[in-house]
Amino acid sequence: MSTLKIAIQKSGRLNEDSIQILKDCGISINNGIDQLKAEASNFPLEVLYLRNSDIPQYLIDGVVDLAIVGDNLLVEKGKDIEVVQKLGFSKCKVSVAVPKTFEYNSIQDLAGLRVATSYPNTVNEYFGSFGLTVDIHQISGSVEIAPNIGLADAIVDIVSSGSTLFKNNLKEVEVILKSEAVLAVSPKVSPEIQKHIDTLKFRIQSVLRARNSKYILMNVPNEKIEEIGKILPVLRSLTVLPLAQEGWSSVHSVIDKDTFWDVIDQLKEAGAEGILVCPIEKMVL
C-alpha cells in the first residue's frame, strides 16, 4: 500500500497545532525527539518535519503529497498549489509596519523607501498594485529590528498579537492579507494517494466541525418546542425526548460556538430551562 507523505513545520507556532489535529483525527504518530521523519502506526501516513520556507517547493516537486502550512507562505512561494481545507488555527496577518514616529497617511508615503521583509514577492505585488516601487531588503528572521538599526524605513511581516511590533516601537499601518493554517496538496499526487487524501480530509473536516460546535440540551415546555426550533440551527431536526414531568420535553441540538451567547439568551427568553452545553469530540455528517 502506498504511503501518504505530509509535511509540517519542523518547529514554531504551526508545529504543535499540526500534530494535534492529526492526533484528533485518530492518527498515532511514532514521533521521537529531533526526528525529521515519523510514521503513523494506524494510518498509511508519513510525517516529514521541514523548514517552513521549504515546504511549498517540496509540494511543487511532489516530494510530499500534502502539507499543513500557512496560507501566507503559499501566497509568497506557491500560488499554484491547491488548498483543500482551511484549518482555522495559527491565524495571523501579513502587515506593513513603520516606526511609531513615522507620520503615515497612506501607502503612497512609502514609495521608494526601504522595506525589510521575508516576503519579497508579496511586497512587490502589493506595492505594485498601487503603482509603487520600494527598495526591498530581504531578511530571513528578526525583521522587526530592521528600522531600529537603520536598515529599513518600514517592514512587512507576520503580525499575530502585535506585541512584537509594540516592543520594537513599530505600528501596523496596512494589512496586506489575512492568513491561517491550511491543508495544501501537491499537483503530482497519484490516484491511489488521492484516496488517502480524501480519507484524511474527511477526518479533518469532522474534527473542525466539532471544534466549532457545541452540543446543547435543555428542558422546554411542549408548547414552546416549535418556537425553540426556529432559534436553533439544527443539523436536520431537533431531538425531542419526553420528560417524566408532564408537558415538558428534553430538547437536544448542536449550536455554533461563535453565536453561542446570543442564542442562549434567545432560548431563555423563549422558555428553555436547565440548559446544558457540552463539547463535541467528533462531528460526522
Side-chain angles (χ1 to χ4, degrees):
M1 179 183 292
S2 59
T3 300
L4 174 63
K5 295 181 179 179
I6 184 169
I8 67 172
Q9 188 175 331
K10 181 180 178 182
S11 60
R13 61 190 182 89
L14 269 174
N15 177 270
E16 291 184 8
D17 286 337
S18 299
I19 294 172
Q20 186 61 52
I21 198 167
L22 293 176
K23 288 182 177 179
D24 289 346
C25 288
I27 297 173
S28 299
I29 301 170
N30 301 317
N31 187 31
I33 298 175
D34 295 328
Q35 275 188 294
L36 297 180
K37 186 170 67 171
E39 293 184 356
S41 60
N42 58 350
F43 192 85
L45 180 80
E46 184 177 75
V47 179
L48 277 69
Y49 298 98
L50 303 175
R51 191 170 64 174
N52 198 40
S53 59
D54 292 338
I55 290 177
Q57 193 60 51
Y58 277 73
L59 283 167
I60 292 169
D61 293 341
V63 176
V64 296
D65 307 302
L66 277 179
I68 296 176
V69 64
D71 193 26
N72 59 292
L73 194 59
L74 297 183
V75 171
E76 175 65 21
K77 292 188 172 184
K79 282 196 170 184
D80 294 331
I81 295 173
E82 181 185 2
V83 172
V84 295
Q85 182 66 53
K86 293 186 176 182
L87 300 176
F89 56 82
S90 294
K91 292 186 177 182
C92 64
K93 298 173 287 185
V94 176
S95 299
V96 182
V98 298
K100 291 180 180 178
T101 55
F102 191 105
E103 294 186 10
Y104 184 86
N105 298 301
S106 73
I107 196 70
Q108 306 290 334
D109 294 337
L110 298 178
L113 299 186
R114 300 167 300 165
V115 176
T117 187
S118 301
Y119 302 93
N121 295 329
T122 302
V123 171
N124 272 326
E125 184 172 336
Y126 180 71
F127 281 90
S129 68
F130 294 97
L132 304 176
T133 58
V134 292
D135 182 12
I136 294 177
H137 288 247
Q138 187 172 351
I139 301 176
S140 297
S142 301
V143 174
E144 64 278 354
I145 200 175
N148 292 330
I149 62 175
L151 181 63
D153 304 296
I155 69 167
V156 171
D157 201 15
I158 290 176
V159 176
S160 296
S161 65
S163 60
T164 302
L165 295 183
F166 180 81
K167 291 175 184 177
N168 287 275
N169 293 312
L170 299 173
K171 59 183 179 182
E172 181 185 64
V173 293
E174 300 284 347
V175 176
I176 295 179
L177 60 91
K178 294 182 179 180
S179 176
E180 64 182 273
V182 298
L183 188 68
V185 62
S186 169
K188 297 185 177 182
V189 297
S190 66
E192 187 175 2
I193 289 295
Q194 184 61 52
K195 291 180 181 179
H196 296 326
I197 292 174
D198 292 340
T199 299
L200 179 59
K201 181 182 173 184
F202 174 79
R203 292 192 185 188
I204 287 175
Q205 288 175 337
S206 299
V207 169
L208 294 178
R209 288 192 196 99
R211 288 183 180 180
N212 293 325
S213 305
K214 299 289 184 182
Y215 189 76
I216 185 169
L217 55 156
M218 70 209 79
N219 297 330
V220 178
N222 289 343
E223 68 270 15
K224 295 288 187 178
I225 291 175
E226 184 176 352
E227 184 178 350
I228 292 291
K230 294 177 181 178
I231 297 170
L232 287 170
V234 296
L235 299 178
R236 187 179 295 272
S237 65
L238 296 174
T239 298
V240 180
L241 303 173
L243 293 178
Q245 183 177 347
E246 188 175 349
W248 284 76
S249 295
S250 177
V251 176
H252 300 217
S253 188
V254 172
I255 186 172
D256 190 321
K257 71 174 186 179
D258 292 333
T259 60
F260 170 77
W261 288 113
D262 290 337
V263 174
I264 291 294
D265 290 339
Q266 294 178 53
L267 292 172
K268 289 176 63 179
E269 290 177 6
E273 298 179 4
I275 301 172
L276 299 179
V277 181
C278 308
I280 302 173
E281 183 174 341
K282 303 289 186 298
M283 189 168 164
V284 181
L285 298 181

